[in-house]
């Protein structure tokens, strides 16, 4: 559900791209809302203690990336990120479910720790999903996020670019940094440290 159904709005915008392209003001609204969502949802995920809430805010943040890409007319990059996000977020939610069941339905990450030796397969799966989410080279998230950031950079550095394009570019870069923080926070609180 988190990986596919909530992204159906992105598909709708991409499907109707020919209508959106002829109305650049609407695309600017999509860009601003997408960039704001990408940054602020990532920032909200940084302050969650519940493992599923961190992943839920992460999904909202990634949805912001997808809409931001659509806002700069990079509809192909937007749909590409829909697909890559579906796989790595499914892996992360399955890993979180495994951890929650292993912890007898405890979802607070501060009541976890040191699980890597008890759940090695989950640990490896969560590492793979996290590396893809933060955009590590050679993982799927890297290619889709890089395409979105490149489209935002081209839009922001184009001749006559408005403040909206510059804002979108910097908000998405900020979102990438914050995503790394909350993702590794989840990983370290859950699998490392004191039991």
């Amino acid at each position: 559900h988190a990986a596919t159904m909530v992204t159906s709005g992105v598909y709708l915008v991409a499907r109707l791209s020919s209508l959106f392209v002829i109305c650049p003001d609407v695309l600017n609204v999509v860009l601003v809302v997408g960039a704001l969502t990408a940054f602020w949802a990532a920032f909200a995920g940084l302050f969650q203690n519940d493992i599923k809430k961190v992943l839920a805010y992460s999904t909202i943040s990634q949805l912001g990336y997808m809409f931001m890409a659509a806002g700069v007319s990079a509809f192909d990059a937007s749909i590409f990120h829909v697909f890559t996000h579906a796989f790595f977020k499914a892996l992360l939610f399955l890993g979180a479910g495994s951890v929650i069941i292993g912890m007898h339905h405890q979802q607070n990450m501060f009541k976890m720790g040191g699980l890597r030796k008890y759940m090695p397969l989950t640990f490896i799966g969560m590492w793979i999903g996290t590396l893809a989410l933060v955009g590590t080279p050679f993982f799927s998230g890297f290619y889709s996020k890089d395409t979105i950031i490149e489209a935002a950079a081209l839009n922001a550095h184009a001749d006559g670019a408005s403040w909206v394009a510059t804002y979108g570019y910097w908000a998405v870069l900020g979102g990438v940094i914050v995503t790394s923080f909350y993702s590794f926070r989840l990983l370290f609180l859950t699998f490392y440290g004191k039991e």
Side-chain angles (χ1 to χ4, degrees), residues 21-151:
V21 169
I22 60 175
C23 192
D25 292 335
V26 174
L27 278 180
N28 282 339
V29 171
V30 172
L31 188 151
V32 167
V33 171
L36 186 67
T37 302
F39 180 75
W40 284 109
F43 196 70
L46 200 57
F47 297 101
Q48 301 303 313
N49 298 331
D50 184 317
I51 191 169
K52 281 173 57 179
K53 282 186 182 178
V54 172
L55 294 176
Y57 277 109
S58 172
T59 298
I60 295 168
S61 177
Q62 298 307 303
L63 197 61
Y65 285 99
M66 297 168 204
F67 276 109
M68 205 281 309
V72 296
S73 299
F75 300 104
D76 52 348
S78 181
I79 293 299
F80 183 34
H81 196 56
V82 168
F83 280 102
T84 60
H85 173 259
F87 290 102
F88 63 72
K89 192 55 66 75
L91 181 60
L92 287 168
F93 268 113
L94 286 170
S98 176
V99 167
I100 291 167
I101 294 298
M103 293 295 295
H104 304 288
H105 300 280
Q106 179 58 254
Q107 294 182 201
N108 187 343
M109 294 184 301
F110 285 101
K111 295 184 179 178
M112 300 175 186
L115 293 179
R116 70 176 185 259
K117 67 182 175 186
Y118 300 109
M119 309 178 89
L121 292 177
T122 303
F123 171 66
I124 292 167
M126 291 290 279
W127 255 107
I128 292 169
T130 298
L131 291 174
L133 173 62
V134 301
T136 306
F138 307 112
F139 286 85
S140 63
F142 169 76
Y143 298 104
S144 59
K145 278 188 175 183
D146 185 57
T147 307
I148 291 171
I149 293 169
E150 182 181 1

